[in-house]
Amino acid sequence: MNRIDGGSAPVSTLSRRNLLKAGVGAIALAAASPLALLPRPARAVAPISTLTFTELPRIYDQTHHVADGYKADVVLRWGDKVTADAPAFDPAAQTADSQSKQAGYNNDHMAYFPLPMGSQNSERGILAINNEYPDFQIMFPGLITSEDDAGKAVSKDQADIGLASVGLTIVEVEKKDGAWRVVEGSPLARRITGFTEFAISGPAAGHDLMKTSEDPTGTKVIGTSTNCAGGHTPWGTVLSCEEWSVSFFGGDPAKTQTREALERIGMASEDYYGLARFYDRFNVEKEPNELNRFQWVVEVDPYDASAAPVKRTALGRFGHEGAAVALNKDGRAVVYMGDDDYFEYIYRFVSTNAFNPADRAANLKLLDEGVLSVAKLNADGTLQWMPLVQGTGPLTAENGFPDQATVLINARAAADRLGATKMDRPEDMEVSPVTGRVYAVMTKNKKRKPEQVDAANPRAANLWGQIVELIPPGSGAEADHAADNFTWSLLVLAGDTAKPEIKASFHPETTANGWFATPDNIAMDPKGRLWIATDGQNDFGIADGVFAMDVEGPGRGLSRALFACPTGAEATGPFFTPDGKTMFLSVQHPGEDSESVAKLSTTWPDFAPNGLPRPAVVAITRIDGGEIGG
């Protein structure tokens, strides 16, 4: 979002002698941030990296760029038709009704689901795409000159368009003659928006803290917002993460009886999108419980256009970004999640029941019952998962947690009580399909002071981010994702390797074009290589984009650039087809660095006269039809 080693032991426990015994060799270590990275070999007997593409040089201009031998085709843009009755896009004549039938704004996470369901078809399937937030200063020419003025300037109609522009866009796509396109008129196509009714399930459903004047049952809610990263399940659903829904609310928390809870979830008194002016439910002074019904993980069935989306409360409520699903060796579903804010936490959910490949209906309820835990990363390289279970340790009625629903609704406060490790803005997470190791992105934390650094977050005023490797007992299909204790390691410390003061750490063969900063979304390809999409490199005057690296073998930590975004944009939601020959990618908020529509930095991807920049999904393929990365 745009705001607000080869061994199994973690680096912090590995001496140089042990590394040599393991065949790893000498490593370059920053004094405050040791990493298990591979050296330049004395004699090359094999390629260092499995990634064989020619790296993209650094470039930052009005359009996108991709490495030689690749192409990036635009598949779907903001405003394109989704449903059969959608009108053609007309930026000068927008309505909430038309936007609810067209592709939403600021596409983020996405997932590809092969057709038919259960197949490995890599040339026809469904794309489920998150739409995070509106950019009113770009969407509505002449409205405002700064996005900070949006809440005061928008009309009711424009606010409604904003609500219709967020949520999810679901379309059917196919590859023909080497190019991807949307299948028009597909019965699977639909929009899920800020006006869609959602079911509430799990332990918090029906709880008093979930009840409002509009929904006295506490079991349904209108809308979703700020859907950032997410995940996908083995039973063929998408998990969409509500991240900073607080920005859709207004009112003064100090004037409510739930001030402490509202402030802990991040509520401020600003009415950022103006919704509190038009809807009482978005004003915390009038409906203090409404915000409790947001910032959850949403589950959507892309194969059934009639299925209601569900907010899964067993997964906890916080600033969700990332919901990586693994099947444990005993069949239980495990979901790894990040809370994208300063000094927030890494979470894990383990289902009570096991996945049943012969019973999809039962699988659709797996995420309603289980145990949510929060991570404590110790300096000795061990990791402890601490259950967020009412009655355990300090999570008692005396401390403000009378039941499990209250624990889940106030997951951040419960994690505070347990003493979890405060991280540098945990964002996306992914599980290696090869090793079972889990990769967690910390995008940055400018607020961390020198006295607050720790082994997992080793830099103060961290503007660059890092990637943490969580290592369960066992490996591959035998990895025990439900174990109470893991180990952990730092994969890379991001930033400009030419500036020693930053203390960045990559593989020593990483080039001046290959290092990255502010990692955000990640993906694993079928070979278990990590692909990193960045958000914030613009702050350093360089393009955000996509980088790839091996996480095993001699190329571990060697990053290479594949794709660069146009000005003002970030890369989000990379996702591979099963054959590894297509990477779908979102280009979010192009031109967001513009002062106004009158002074646009780009009108990507159309570059039409008097046109607007349009967030879009691109399909990256090799010109020769081979696997992405080589």
Side-chain angles (χ1 to χ4, degrees):
M1 69 140 307
N2 181 282
R3 309 242 190 239
I4 350 197
D5 72 71
S8 61
V11 258
S12 53
T13 65
L14 289 177
S15 68
R16 181 179 182 276
R17 181 170 179 268
N18 287 335
L19 285 169
L20 288 168
K21 286 173 66 177
V24 176
I27 60 174
L29 295 174
S33 56
L35 297 180
L37 298 178
L38 289 240
R40 186 190 309 270
R43 183 165 56 94
V45 296
I48 294 175
S49 175
T50 68
L51 299 159
T52 60
F53 64 90
T54 301
E55 184 171 40
L56 180 70
R58 293 217 184 262
I59 186 168
Y60 189 27
D61 59 21
Q62 293 188 349
T63 191
H64 69 270
H65 299 270
V66 68
D68 285 347
Y70 289 77
K71 61 176 182 173
D73 298 323
V74 175
V75 178
L76 184 72
R77 305 161 297 176
W78 164 51
D80 283 348
K81 294 181 63 171
V82 173
T83 62
D85 60 341
F89 178 60
D90 183 351
Q94 300 179 62
T95 68
D97 181 66
S98 62
Q99 176 64 92
S100 68
K101 301 172 182 178
Q102 300 164 335
Y105 200 85
N106 273 341
N107 35 281
D108 201 288
H109 172 267
M110 87 182 104
Y112 172 87
F113 297 89
L115 286 171
M117 181 168 56
S119 73
Q120 293 292 301
N121 192 347
S122 294
E123 297 194 348
R124 191 179 184 97
I126 306 166
L127 281 182
I129 307 157
N130 282 1
N131 301 116
E132 190 175 359
Y133 65 96
D135 269 325
F136 285 149
Q137 84 278 16
I138 302 297
M139 295 173 71
F140 305 125
L143 174 66
I144 51 177
T145 59
S146 169
E147 62 178 340
D148 295 331
D149 299 327
K152 299 175 182 178
V154 295
S155 67
K156 172 66 161 55
D157 287 344
Q158 290 167 331
D160 286 349
I161 293 169
L163 281 174
S165 75
V166 299
L168 291 92
T169 297
I170 299 175
V171 293
E172 184 177 342
V173 293
E174 66 177 353
K175 187 179 183 181
K176 275 196 170 183
D177 301 322
W180 285 90
R181 68 177 185 89
V182 172
V183 177
E184 294 188 10
S186 171
L188 297 172
R190 62 169 165 159
R191 281 295 320 284
I192 294 170
T193 74
F195 294 106
T196 302
E197 184 174 296
F198 287 71
I200 300 172
S201 71
H207 191 272
D208 285 347
L209 291 175
M210 301 291 279
K211 296 176 181 178
T212 66
S213 59
E214 290 186 4
D215 172 34
T217 70
T219 60
K220 58 186 177 180
V221 60
I222 301 300
T224 186
S225 61
T226 62
N227 294 76
C228 204
H232 62 287
T233 69
W235 50 95
T237 61
V238 63
L239 302 180
S240 180
C241 294
E242 297 180 327
E243 184 189 10
W244 48 291
S245 299
V246 289
S247 63
F248 275 55
F249 286 75
D252 188 353
K255 296 180 180 180
T256 73
Q257 295 181 347
T258 57
R259 174 180 181 175
E260 184 177 350
L262 287 170
E263 291 180 344
R264 185 63 188 90
I265 200 64
M267 179 62 206
S269 58
E270 64 187 39
D271 185 10
Y272 196 83
Y273 291 106
L275 298 174
R277 292 195 286 121
F278 309 115
Y279 295 94
D280 285 352
R281 72 187 186 98
F282 289 119
N283 187 325
V284 296
E285 296 176 40
K286 297 178 179 180
E287 282 286 7
N289 281 355
E290 183 70 10
L291 185 50
N292 292 340
R293 294 140 63 84
F294 288 81
Q295 300 204 195
W296 299 98
V297 172
V298 174
E299 185 170 15
V300 177
D301 187 349
Y303 291 105
D304 183 357
S306 67
V310 184
K311 298 193 179 186
R312 301 290 184 190
T313 66
L315 301 186
R317 175 173 166 267
F318 43 88
H320 282 280
E321 177 152 4
V325 183
L327 283 182
N328 197 39
K329 61 181 183 178
D330 61 5
R332 286 182 290 171
V334 179
V335 187
Y336 294 96
M337 299 168 285
D339 184 351
D340 182 13
D341 210 339
Y342 302 105
F343 302 106
E344 293 300 342
Y345 307 118
I346 295 172
Y347 295 84
R348 181 194 69 177
F349 170 85
V350 181
S351 70
T352 298
N353 298 313
F355 168 73
N356 182 350
D359 192 347
R360 190 166 188 261
N363 296 331
L364 289 170
K365 301 177 182 179
L366 276 180
L367 302 185
D368 281 340
E369 187 177 353
V371 176
L372 180 69
S373 301
V374 66
K376 185 174 184 180
L377 284 71
N378 301 308
D380 64 357
T382 58
L383 182 156
Q384 178 185 1
W385 292 107
M386 302 181 292
L388 293 168
V389 175
Q390 196 276 337
T392 300
L395 304 183
T396 62
E398 293 76 15
N399 288 328
F401 302 99
D403 49 49
Q404 185 61 19
T406 304
V407 171
L408 296 169
I409 293 169
N410 299 285
R412 282 182 170 179
D416 292 341
R417 284 279 185 173
L418 294 181
T421 301
K422 299 178 182 293
M423 306 297 292
D424 286 350
R425 285 187 55 188
E427 298 216 20
D428 204 6
M429 305 182 74
E430 290 292 337
V431 182
S432 170
V434 177
T435 67
R437 295 186 180 191
V438 184
Y439 296 88
V441 169
M442 308 301 123
T443 195
K444 58 186 173 184
N445 186 354
K446 64 183 180 181
K447 297 182 179 182
R448 189 174 292 273
K449 300 176 182 179
E451 62 270 22
Q452 294 175 305
V453 301
D454 57 40
N457 306 275
R459 295 181 290 184
N462 179 10
L463 302 178
W464 315 278
Q466 64 262 19
I467 300 178
V468 183
E469 185 179 56
L470 313 181
I471 309 170
S475 180
E478 294 303 310
D480 187 0
H481 291 280
D484 293 334
N485 297 290
F486 284 28
T487 55
W488 67 270
S489 171
L490 285 169
L491 177 64
V492 295
L493 293 178
D496 189 344
T497 55
K499 297 180 178 180
E501 66 274 16
I502 291 177
K503 299 177 182 178
S505 292
F506 290 85
H507 189 289
E509 293 286 348
T510 303
T511 73
N513 294 313
W515 64 263
F516 59 79
T518 58
D520 188 337
N521 293 166
I522 54 176
M524 303 294 296
D525 68 21
K527 293 183 176 179
R529 299 175 298 196
L530 190 65
W531 297 77
I532 304 102
T534 67
D535 171 22
Q537 293 193 153
N538 297 350
D539 294 339
F540 308 110
I542 57 177
D544 278 307
V546 177
F547 300 76
M549 66 167 60
D550 290 324
V551 294
E552 299 292 326
R556 175 181 164 89
L558 201 170
S559 176
R560 289 182 172 173
L562 179 80
F563 179 88
C565 289
T567 181
E570 64 166 299
T572 61
F575 199 95
F576 288 87
T577 51
D579 63 5
K581 294 183 177 181
T582 298
M583 178 203 293
F584 292 104
L585 180 72
S586 291
V587 176
Q588 190 184 105
H589 55 72
E592 195 176 59
D593 55 346
S594 303
E595 293 182 31
S596 67
V597 172
K599 296 182 180 180
L600 290 171
S601 62
T602 184
T603 54
W604 184 92
D606 299 338
F607 299 103
N610 302 314
L612 299 178
R614 300 170 70 178
V617 172
V618 300
I620 299 176
T621 55
R622 276 174 52 172
I623 294 173
D624 66 5
E627 292 183 18
I628 302 293

